[in-house]
Amino acid sequence: MGNNKQKALVNFKKAQSLISKIIKMIEGNEYCINIMQQNLAVLGLLRSAHQMLMENHLNTCFKKAMETRNEKRKQEMIKEMLTVTKLFNK
Amino acid sequence: MGNNKQKALVNFKKAQSLISKIIKMIEGNEYCINIMQQNLAVLGLLRSAHQMLMENHLNTCFKKAMETRNEKRKQEMIKEMLTVTKLFNK
Amino acid sequence: MGNNKQKALVNFKKAQSLISKIIKMIEGNEYCINIMQQNLAVLGLLRSAHQMLMENHLNTCFKKAMETRNEKRKQEMIKEMLTVTKLFNK
Amino acid sequence: MGNNKQKALVNFKKAQSLISKIIKMIEGNEYCINIMQQNLAVLGLLRSAHQMLMENHLNTCFKKAMETRNEKRKQEMIKEMLTVTKLFNK
């Protein structure tokens, strides 16, 4: 597994543990602002993970595909890339 | 528990299960774009949850505090509100 | 005019001048990445301006309305607040 | 000029005219929420423009560079791409 994929894995595991904490906070009817701040921490972890996966993708599959002469494949890769950047901004 | 807090709880539980899936996908070395798309789904769930918690907060604690004559408390509530909106945009 | 509204005005004027620059860059067929970086600068200015206006609003109109006993007005103010936070995350 | 660059230009021109309107609204001391809603419209236009420029870049300069054997150039292009996606999420 690439270095960036491994770093993303760490982020997802941290996010998982924080979400378990958040679920307990809601069930314990804790103060909304405190819950929201934990949620913002999770959002930060997942955004970084997205960026790490993007970096990994650009340096591996995407790069390889772009070096071939398969125009159809290259168009598909570009479309995919636009999908994950477009959705991310929403 | 308020209706919005309960809806937020549902979102956090869905997010938790999706993150478990994502962790397996990374460990199984699946295609980055597929992982990223799952991650975007989690981000969407957490953003909605944030909005639900915000709505709950505005209609309960925040509203109550703003109706008092405690100026210091009101200033604190406004500051808190700015923190969770500011961070969210990052 | 409040201090925050004035700071927001400065940001909008900077954004205006940067957008004029961007339009010239596109017409001069400049490198996309350079144009995108200028655009990111404008997005940063507008996001800060949004936050300044939010702060101004919370401390003036919103605060005043929340202190009254007009429940209908208060509900409208909360709805409005949710609209500008919700849209901003998109 | 590519089709996407032209569409981006239209967005920047609309954004420019909306920002002029916003500046007048602030100078006329209009209601903050109304100003914020106009600002959100501008942010939407600029985000779409960013996406259009990204699509143009991927299909032109980026694609061309990735097809060469110049490893150093390819690494630079990937780094640039990460910069404009990373910043955009902030």
Side-chain angles (χ1 to χ4, degrees):
Chain A
M1 201 190 299
N3 192 31
N4 271 308
K5 229 166 169 173
Q6 244 162 347
K7 282 197 278 175
L9 183 59
V10 172
N11 274 30
F12 285 118
K13 286 187 174 170
K14 280 186 195 165
Q16 193 183 35
S17 120
L18 266 180
I19 288 184
S20 302
K21 188 183 161 188
I22 289 172
I23 288 173
K24 275 179 205 138
M25 286 173 88
I26 300 191
E27 287 170 345
N29 206 19
E30 286 193 33
Y31 187 46
C32 278
I33 295 284
N34 294 347
I35 302 172
M36 287 166 94
Q37 271 162 343
Q38 294 299 321
N39 190 23
L40 290 168
V42 181
L43 283 162
L45 286 166
L46 298 184
R47 279 200 188 102
S48 304
H50 191 89
Q51 200 63 21
M52 292 160 191
L53 293 171
M54 176 91 79
E55 188 166 350
N56 184 69
H57 179 63
L58 283 170
N59 282 305
T60 57
C61 306
F62 189 79
K63 193 162 167 285
K64 253 176 247 166
M66 296 307 279
E67 286 163 353
T68 68
R69 297 188 170 208
N70 185 341
E71 280 305 317
K72 207 188 142 199
R73 180 89 191 101
K74 286 193 257 189
Q75 280 314 311
E76 280 167 11
M77 295 299 275
I78 288 174
K79 254 194 197 160
E80 268 182 5
M81 179 61 65
L82 287 167
T83 313
V84 290
T85 23
K86 195 172 189 177
L87 282 167
F88 199 35
N89 305 322
K90 278 191 186 155
Chain B
M1 199 191 301
N3 191 32
N4 271 308
K5 228 166 171 174
Q6 243 162 348
K7 281 198 278 176
L9 183 59
V10 172
N11 273 32
F12 284 118
K13 286 188 174 168
K14 279 186 195 163
Q16 193 183 35
S17 119
L18 265 180
I19 289 184
S20 302
K21 188 182 161 188
I22 289 173
I23 289 173
K24 275 180 207 137
M25 285 173 89
I26 300 190
E27 287 171 347
N29 208 19
E30 286 193 33
Y31 186 47
C32 279
I33 296 285
N34 294 347
I35 302 171
M36 288 164 93
Q37 270 161 344
Q38 295 299 320
N39 190 22
L40 290 168
V42 181
L43 283 162
L45 286 166
L46 299 183
R47 280 201 188 101
S48 305
H50 191 89
Q51 202 63 22
M52 293 161 190
L53 293 170
M54 176 90 80
E55 188 166 351
N56 184 69
H57 180 63
L58 282 170
N59 282 306
T60 57
C61 307
F62 189 78
K63 194 163 168 284
K64 253 177 248 166
M66 296 308 279
E67 286 163 353
T68 68
R69 294 185 172 213
N70 185 340
E71 279 305 317
K72 207 187 142 199
R73 179 86 191 103
K74 285 194 258 189
Q75 280 313 309
E76 279 167 12
M77 294 300 275
I78 288 174
K79 252 193 199 160
E80 267 182 7
M81 179 61 66
L82 287 167
T83 314
V84 289
T85 24
K86 195 173 190 176
L87 280 167
F88 198 38
N89 305 322
K90 276 187 185 155
Chain C
M1 200 191 300
N3 191 30
N4 271 308
K5 227 166 172 174
Q6 242 161 349
K7 281 197 280 174
L9 183 59
V10 172
N11 274 30
F12 285 117
K13 285 187 176 170
K14 279 186 194 164
Q16 193 182 35
S17 119
L18 265 179
I19 288 184
S20 301
K21 187 182 160 189
I22 289 173
I23 289 173
K24 274 180 207 137
M25 284 173 88
I26 299 191
E27 287 170 344
N29 207 18
E30 287 193 33
Y31 187 45
C32 279
I33 295 286
N34 295 347
I35 301 171
M36 288 165 92
Q37 271 162 343
Q38 295 299 320
N39 190 23
L40 290 168
V42 180
L43 283 162
L45 286 166
L46 299 184
R47 280 200 188 101
S48 304
H50 190 90
Q51 200 63 22
M52 292 161 190
L53 292 172
M54 176 91 79
E55 189 166 350
N56 185 69
H57 179 64
L58 282 170
N59 283 306
T60 57
C61 307
F62 188 79
K63 194 163 167 284
K64 253 176 248 166
M66 296 307 280
E67 286 163 352
T68 68
R69 296 187 172 210
N70 185 340
E71 279 306 317
K72 207 188 142 199
R73 180 89 191 99
K74 284 193 260 190
Q75 280 313 311
E76 280 167 11
M77 294 301 273
I78 288 175
K79 252 194 200 161
E80 268 181 7
M81 179 61 65
L82 287 166
T83 313
V84 290
T85 23
K86 195 173 189 176
L87 281 167
F88 198 35
N89 304 322
K90 277 188 186 156
Chain D
M1 203 191 298
N3 191 31
N4 272 308
K5 229 167 171 173
Q6 242 162 347
K7 282 198 279 176
L9 183 59
V10 172
N11 274 30
F12 285 117
K13 286 187 174 169
K14 280 186 195 165
Q16 193 182 34
S17 119
L18 266 180
I19 289 184
S20 301
K21 188 181 160 189
I22 289 172
I23 289 172
K24 274 179 207 138
M25 286 173 88
I26 300 191
E27 288 170 346
N29 206 19
E30 286 194 31
Y31 187 46
C32 278
I33 296 284
N34 295 346
I35 302 172
M36 287 165 93
Q37 271 161 344
Q38 295 299 321
N39 190 22
L40 290 169
V42 181
L43 282 162
L45 286 166
L46 299 184
R47 280 200 187 102
S48 304
H50 190 89
Q51 201 62 23
M52 293 161 190
L53 293 171
M54 176 90 79
E55 189 166 350
N56 184 69
H57 180 64
L58 282 170
N59 283 306
T60 56
C61 306
F62 189 78
K63 193 163 170 284
K64 253 177 246 164
M66 295 307 279
E67 287 164 352
T68 68
R69 296 187 171 209
N70 185 341
E71 279 306 317
K72 208 188 144 199
R73 180 87 191 101
K74 286 193 258 188
Q75 280 314 309
E76 281 167 10
M77 295 299 275
I78 288 175
K79 254 195 198 159
E80 268 181 6
M81 178 61 66
L82 287 166
T83 314
V84 289
T85 25
K86 196 172 189 174
L87 281 167
F88 198 37
N89 305 321
K90 277 189 186 155

